[in-house]
Amino acid sequence: MTFSLLGRCARTGQFGAAVTTSSIAVGTRVPFLAAGIGGVLTQHRTDPRLGPRGLDLLRSGCSAEQALAAIVASTPDHRWRQVAVMDRLGRTAHFDGERVKPSRSVFHGTDVVALGNILANEDVAPAMGKAFLADPGLPLAERLVRALEAGEEAGGEHGEVMCASLLVVDREVF
């Protein structure tokens, strides 16, 4: 019931996240970004403590894969989690716990990772990723919004979308 993505603009160095879901307050629970550092998405049975933990790991010099491994190891309920990480170089990693409800979908590309759960089909994340990559000259926020729209057009989630969040960082931490 949630689909989201992390993106990086190679030209500006900005990081961004966009997410949509059928539950409320998604922007306070799923996306976590730090300028010049990277980002974390935590969804499904969301644990918002994992986002700041992931950013701390990235700040300490961990790669996306290293940070993800530590995040997964730090949560006893990892089987219920869906997590994505992007590091300062745009490298990505993701984790799908075995109890994350289907349909699940993931896409990794240059400077982008998209994922979702309880989706209408597995085409959602690839549609998002391809839309993000389609026009790298656009501002990062525009690319993220177009990616969410492409995910919705590809089938979206099972429930009615009630909430969305868009976040872009350049110099500040969120």
Side-chain angles (χ1 to χ4, degrees):
M1 76 187 202
T2 302
F3 54 99
S4 61
L5 74 157
L6 289 169
R8 183 177 83 98
C9 178
R11 182 177 45 82
T12 65
Q14 294 175 327
F15 286 93
V19 56
T20 188
T21 189
S22 58
S23 63
I24 62 171
V26 71
T28 64
R29 299 180 282 119
V30 173
F32 298 86
L33 299 173
I37 302 297
V40 178
L41 300 171
T42 171
Q43 57 192 49
H44 194 259
R45 300 275 173 103
T46 304
D47 181 348
R49 296 172 298 182
L50 300 179
R53 168 129 172 80
L55 293 178
D56 286 344
L57 290 161
L58 291 171
R59 267 188 208 93
S60 76
C62 288
S63 68
E65 287 200 19
Q66 292 166 331
L68 180 69
I71 291 168
V72 171
S74 74
T75 179
D77 297 316
H78 64 273
R79 293 178 311 212
W80 292 98
R81 309 280 186 236
Q82 191 175 45
V83 182
V85 178
M86 177 180 287
D87 64 27
R88 72 182 76 231
L89 300 175
R91 297 175 298 198
T92 61
H94 85 280
F95 174 80
D96 277 316
E98 62 198 40
R99 293 197 166 178
V100 174
K101 294 182 181 179
S103 255
R104 294 181 260 175
S105 183
V106 170
F107 176 91
H108 291 268
T110 303
D111 293 327
V112 64
V113 58
L115 72 164
N117 61 74
I118 314 177
L119 300 172
N121 60 65
E122 294 177 3
D123 298 331
V124 175
M128 292 168 55
K130 290 172 187 171
F132 179 85
L133 294 170
D135 194 346
L138 290 175
L140 182 58
E142 178 70 21
R143 295 170 66 196
L144 292 165
V145 169
R146 287 184 180 197
L148 282 186
E149 291 171 342
E152 184 68 21
E153 289 171 13
E157 60 179 88
H158 285 292
E160 179 183 349
V161 171
M162 294 178 47
C163 185
S165 177
L166 172 67
L167 185 60
V168 174
V169 296
D170 188 10
R171 295 180 185 97
E172 303 296 327
V173 176
F174 291 92

